[in-house]
Amino acid sequence: MIKFLLKGILGDKNRSLLPIIIISIGVALTILLSGYMRGVMGDMIEQSARFQTGHVKVMSRAYAENASQMPNDLALLDVDEIHLELENDFPDIQWVDRINFGGLLDVPDANGETKGQGPSAGMALELFSKNSGEIQRLNMQQSLVRGKIPGQKGDALIGEDFAQKLDIKIGDRITFMGTTMNGSMTFADFTVCGTIRFGAAALDRGVLIIDISDARYMLDMEDATGEILGFLGEGVYVDEKATEVADSFNSKYVATEDEFAPTMLRLRDQNNLGSYLDYVDGFASMFVAIFIFVMSIVLWNTGLLGGLRRYQEFGIRLALGEEKGHIYRTLIYEAVLIGIIGSIVGTSLGLLGTWYMQVVGIDITGMMKNSTMLMPSVLRSKYTPELLYIGFIPGLLAMVLGNMLSGIGIYKRQTATLFKELEV
């Protein structure tokens, strides 16, 4: 039966070509949209995790309340003990220290006189550690514009836009002026070993990156750190896992009232990302659901029109003695086959487009020159296993429902009037 129906579908292009084309286009668009939404929203979350929040973050309670001010005077102390505890309790999570600081960057000329100054947002990372993964996590090698990654004490990276503004060249000496953990003034000289562009204007306009050992010496923060970031072993943020880890860690300090006791926050607890995560999941699902619903109506109408167009054919088959139930079932079988063919073609096209968008993406660098929001400069789609079947929802079910509705007319045909209808 299936072989016979398949021959009929492929042989009669007037009956099958248009539905297959419409189904293929609808399914491909459904997959492209779903992959794009998941990719763009997911990239924004992961970029925030890599640069700011981690999947989980340990800070002192006082620091956490004022985190946006980078209050290093409220930093965590006895970091080695905290690391030992974290690594014993959560060995599958990678923990790294970071210190965020701000100050004024002074650029002297050949005579030692100031030729330019600018406010700088500093990031101290574990650059000299081979096991921290910070260079790979922040994609620093690919983001490097000139020079190299810091490899020795006194080396510093600055944003390419910042370097151009202050006319800083590789090998130039710069002076950072700020305050230490204890509130006193600090001055430190660095050698510019490279410039970097992350593609986020908020960073590129004033970032200064040094190794955390230099920052601890400069800010009087030996055995102290502003933040300890944790990254889940899966490499992506999983809210259930992060919640389990944070609850387990915080339960140990629930009885203490010390404002400098460590506390752990999930990604969704920081920078209002909780509401954003809920918005991402809800909006992406709603958008895809609406699109699937619209495509289902289009394909439903296609199946309905296809069945009505064959009204005379059904009459001839009834006149020849074929049972109404058999005609109705073959109509549904045909819809299933057409839906499967169109869905397979559309899924293949959609996955191909998603793969291209994942590899190449859409460069929006020109639109973000004055942006202060931390987000990727290249929008990419993301392949997920659900893309393999999500297109079959409108492609198969809607086509079948349309044919089922149109096929009801078969049972309304009166055999006694068939020849009179055919004569007309």
Side-chain angles (χ1 to χ4, degrees), residues 64-203:
E65 293 177 0
N66 303 276
S68 61
Q69 303 174 23
M70 297 182 291
N72 287 322
D73 56 319
L74 305 175
L76 280 172
L77 301 177
D78 300 323
V79 173
D80 290 340
E81 295 182 11
I82 297 175
H83 265 288
L84 185 62
E85 177 186 346
L86 291 171
E87 290 166 3
N88 287 336
D89 293 345
F90 314 107
D92 56 337
I93 297 178
Q94 188 171 25
W95 303 97
V96 294
D97 292 341
R98 289 194 187 170
I99 298 175
N100 296 312
F101 56 94
L104 187 67
L105 203 64
D106 180 85
V107 184
D109 58 16
N111 299 319
E113 301 293 334
T114 297
K115 71 173 183 179
Q117 288 183 340
S120 175
M123 294 175 59
L125 313 172
E126 295 183 26
L127 298 177
F128 298 164
S129 172
K130 296 181 180 179
N131 300 321
S132 70
E134 290 283 69
I135 295 175
Q136 295 76 21
R137 183 174 296 114
L138 299 183
N139 201 29
M140 295 178 68
Q141 288 289 1
Q142 289 72 20
S143 301
L144 201 64
V145 178
R146 294 181 283 158
K148 62 180 182 179
I149 304 296
Q152 61 184 7
K153 287 185 177 298
D155 283 352
L157 273 176
I158 62 173
E160 173 67 15
D161 297 345
F162 200 27
Q164 292 180 2
K165 178 182 177 181
L166 298 179
D167 192 25
I168 300 175
K169 299 178 177 59
I170 304 301
D172 284 356
R173 299 288 294 179
I174 57 176
T175 300
F176 176 82
M177 296 178 283
T179 58
T180 69
M181 177 180 176
N182 300 314
S184 59
M185 290 291 294
T186 183
F187 299 86
D189 289 338
F190 295 97
T191 301
V192 177
C193 65
T195 63
I196 199 164
R197 179 179 285 124
F198 290 113
L203 289 173

Side-chain angles (χ1 to χ4, degrees), residues 339-354:
I340 290 175
I341 294 172
S343 297
I344 291 174
V345 174
T347 298
S348 301
L349 294 174
L351 290 176
L352 185 63
T354 300

